[in-house]
Amino acid sequence: MTANGCFSYKNATVNGFNITNQLQVRVEAIDNNVAKIYTTDENGNPLPMPVNVSLRTGEDVNVPVYNNEFLIVWIESYVLAVGGVDILWLHNQKQQAFSASNGITAFSL
């Protein structure tokens, strides 16, 4: 079974993933630009980041653990691995929504 969805830096929703019966990974916004990825037990109690959990950017740059969390920003894509196996992909869609005032028409080339 796979899980798909979206994460927003603009609301207080915490997204979680059950990795094992005793380990969850959660993604939570800190502000409109930064979020944290951290681990908990099945009851939501924070756990130290396991040494076999790693995070890298879409350009294969390792993200260091900071205070038992990974810090992420909206302009990057990420891959979370457990035991060297990729298990979670956070894709930045790198797009902007736009709106125009009345009388302005839009076009694409």
Side-chain angles (χ1 to χ4, degrees):
M1 175 189 234
T2 61
N4 295 301
C6 294
F7 168 76
S8 174
Y9 290 81
K10 292 186 171 188
N11 63 46
T13 301
V14 177
N15 295 85
F17 302 90
N18 294 309
I19 307 305
T20 68
N21 288 340
Q22 297 86 26
L23 180 66
Q24 295 179 343
V25 169
R26 296 183 181 201
V27 183
E28 180 177 350
I30 295 172
D31 62 26
N32 285 345
N33 297 305
V34 180
K36 61 184 178 179
I37 297 174
Y38 59 98
T39 54
T40 68
D41 64 17
E42 66 278 6
N43 297 315
N45 299 308
L47 294 174
M49 187 62 66
V51 295
N52 68 334
V53 175
S54 62
L55 184 72
R56 67 182 187 279
T57 67
E59 288 81 32
D60 280 335
V61 175
N62 287 326
V63 177
V65 175
Y66 178 77
N67 289 336
N68 287 313
E69 303 168 340
F70 294 112
L71 298 178
I72 62 174
V73 295
W74 67 268
I75 60 172
E76 187 63 75
S77 294
Y78 297 93
V79 180
L80 186 80
V82 176
V85 177
D86 296 347
I87 63 160
L88 181 64
W89 295 261
L90 290 86
H91 302 284
N92 179 317
Q93 297 177 2
K94 296 187 181 176
Q95 62 185 12
Q96 298 289 325
F98 58 86
S99 57
S101 63
N102 289 336
I104 303 298
T105 59
F107 63 91
S108 297
L109 301 174

